[in-house]
């Protein structure tokens, strides 16, 4: 039976723009004013930023540097586990019924992200059964949330991601700072392949998974052609392909990798494959899943 792949990295053209979807200002509980925050991200060389204060859409500061593209948004916070709404024009009512919130965000448009699943004692901000019970109308989850570095739980949630993906939930993985103080600046970001620097292009790229999450590893090439994938890292040194239920199917040192996916998986029949590229220290990059089926 021939292998069929559904990859977000097919026929890509454009530039990989770097951005953070999740940052707070003094309009909620962040340390910096909106003007200060956008200047700091512009100085760090970011291409785009979404200010996502708690339950309110903070207006773009009038003095924002032109180099930084601003996405509007907010973090739906009160009454339940947190949900990011990127591209929000108005804040969705924070109903304790999170399924309803997801429906409302889907109706409003924009990107819907379930935040920091492994935050809190017992790694339980989003208990797995609750996560799996949500309507499948969200775009993805935070597989990395920087503020949890200094809080209880784990900043990483690739374990939760594999559990969702293995149950057939199609969710992209995003990495965000969740900036509150200066410690949180620049720990995790997303690179989105965009044809222009328009807000709409960034939102579409995030929605279609034409992006990868990073805590320091940058890729100079990421593309699939047919059933082959090619990855070139600027600074990574180990590539790990991962399939259903978090199974690693190899560890490949180097800087550049090209895999024929069918050959790589051998006689396994996974429903997805994703790639982690690891570098020095905590620096990593995570590709989105590529969905596999046989026809
Ligand atoms: Zn939160
Ligand atoms: Zn937050």
């Amino acid at each position: 039976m021939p292998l069929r792949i559904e990859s977000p990295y097919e026929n890509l053209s454009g530039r990989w723009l770097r951005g953070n979807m999740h940052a707070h200002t003094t309009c909620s509980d962040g340390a910096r004013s909106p003007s200060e925050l956008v200047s700091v991200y512009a100085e760090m060389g970011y291409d785009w930023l979404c200010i996502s204060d708690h339950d309110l859409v903070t207006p773009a500061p009038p003095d924002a540097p032109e180099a930084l593209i601003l996405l509007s948004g907010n973090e739906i916070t009160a009454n339940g586990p947190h949900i990011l709404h990127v591209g929000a024009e108005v804040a969705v009512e924070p109903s304790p019924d999170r399924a309803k919130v997801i429906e409302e965000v889907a109706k409003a448009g924009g990107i819907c992200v379930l935040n920091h699943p492994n935050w809190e004692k017992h790694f339980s901000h989003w208990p797995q059964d609750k996560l799996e019970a949500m309507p499948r109308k969200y775009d993805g989850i935070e597989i990395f949330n920087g503020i949890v570095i200094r809080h209880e739980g784990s900043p990483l949630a690739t374990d939760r991601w594999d559990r969702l993906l293995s149950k057939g939930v199609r969710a992209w993985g995003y990495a965000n700072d969740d900036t509150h103080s200066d410690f949180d600046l620049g720990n995790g970001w997303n690179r989105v392949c965009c044809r222009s620097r328009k807000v709409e292009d960034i939102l579409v790229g995030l929605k279609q998974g034409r992006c990868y999450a990073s805590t320091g590893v940058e890729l100079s090439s990421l593309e699939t052609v047919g059933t082959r994938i090619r990855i070139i890292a600027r600074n990574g040194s180990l590539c790990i392909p991962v399939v259903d239920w978090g199974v690693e199917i190899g560890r490949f040192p180097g800087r550049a990798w090209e895999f024929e996916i069918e050959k790589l998986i051998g006689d396994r029949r996974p429903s997805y494959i994703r790639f982690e590229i690891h570098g020095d220290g905590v620096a990593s990059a995570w590709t989105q899943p590529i969905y596999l089926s046989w026809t």
Side-chain angles (χ1 to χ4, degrees):
M1 284 192 294
L3 169 67
R4 200 172 79 90
I5 79 165
E6 283 173 77
S7 164
Y9 304 125
E10 242 169 52
N11 302 318
L12 294 186
S13 67
R15 289 188 47 218
W16 290 90
L17 303 182
R18 181 187 185 199
N20 172 26
M21 307 157 91
H22 191 166
H24 300 272
T25 72
T26 46
C27 295
S28 62
D29 57 353
R32 287 178 179 263
S33 70
S35 300
E36 289 168 345
L37 193 76
V38 298
S39 308
V40 170
Y41 274 93
E43 280 162 25
M44 291 195 297
Y46 276 58
D47 298 293
W48 56 272
L49 175 73
C50 174
I51 295 177
S52 56
D53 278 311
H54 298 288
D55 295 317
L56 66 100
V57 176
T58 299
D63 54 349
E66 256 180 48
L68 191 74
I69 308 152
L70 285 181
L71 279 55
S72 60
N74 74 309
E75 183 177 22
I76 299 154
T77 305
N79 307 319
H82 300 177
I83 297 173
L84 204 59
H85 185 185
V86 180
E89 277 161 32
V90 290
V92 163
E93 199 56 37
S95 162
D97 179 353
R98 286 322 207 208
K100 192 175 159 204
V101 171
I102 290 170
E103 298 280 356
E104 290 297 315
V105 172
K107 250 188 260 167
I111 307 295
C112 183
V113 184
L114 310 190
N115 293 342
H116 39 62
N118 278 328
W119 172 38
E120 295 185 63
K121 254 183 214 172
H122 311 293
F123 299 61
S124 58
H125 184 73
W126 274 100
Q128 190 66 19
D129 54 348
K130 193 160 187 174
L131 201 55
E132 289 174 11
M134 287 299 113
R136 297 178 180 188
K137 289 187 177 173
Y138 59 91
D139 297 288
I141 67 166
E142 283 183 331
I143 57 166
F144 175 88
N145 175 290
I147 197 181
V148 186
I149 294 170
R150 56 190 180 89
H151 288 284
E152 289 166 330
S154 170
L156 280 174
T158 51
D159 58 334
R160 304 298 205 91
W161 198 26
D162 283 313
R163 290 166 78 178
L164 286 173
L165 294 171
S166 303
K167 288 202 160 182
V169 179
R170 293 194 165 196
W172 304 127
Y174 305 113
N176 292 318
D177 280 342
D178 198 356
T179 324
H180 285 76
S181 78
D182 284 4
F183 173 87
D184 308 321
L185 295 167
N187 291 318
W189 59 89
N190 307 280
R191 287 259 182 201
V192 193
C193 189
C194 297
R195 287 194 189 94
S196 79
R197 293 176 63 84
K198 289 192 186 118
V199 168
E200 299 76 52
D201 269 7
I202 295 168
L203 291 173
V204 169
L206 290 169
K207 188 161 276 291
Q208 297 181 344
R210 277 199 321 268
C211 52
Y212 66 88
S214 176
T215 53
V217 166
E218 297 278 15
L219 307 179
S220 53
S221 180
L222 172 59
E223 58 179 348
T224 53
V225 178
T227 55
R228 297 183 80 82
I229 183 161
R230 192 164 74 123
I231 303 168
I232 302 174
R234 284 189 214 284
N235 57 344
S237 53
L238 180 71
C239 179
I240 304 178
V242 178
V243 298
D244 298 44
W245 301 106
V247 174
E248 294 185 9
I249 59 168
R251 291 190 159 198
F252 300 91
R255 271 284 153 88
W257 302 270
E258 188 158 347
F259 299 110
E260 168 54 59
I261 291 173
E262 198 150 25
K263 204 169 145 199
L264 182 64
I265 57 178
D267 34 12
R268 297 175 191 86
R269 287 289 179 270
S271 63
Y272 71 92
I273 187 165
R274 60 179 185 82
F275 296 83
E276 299 188 353
I277 300 91
H278 298 287
D280 291 342
V282 296
S284 297
W286 295 268
T287 75
Q288 301 300 345
I290 290 166
Y291 297 109
L292 309 178
S293 57
W294 283 264
T295 50

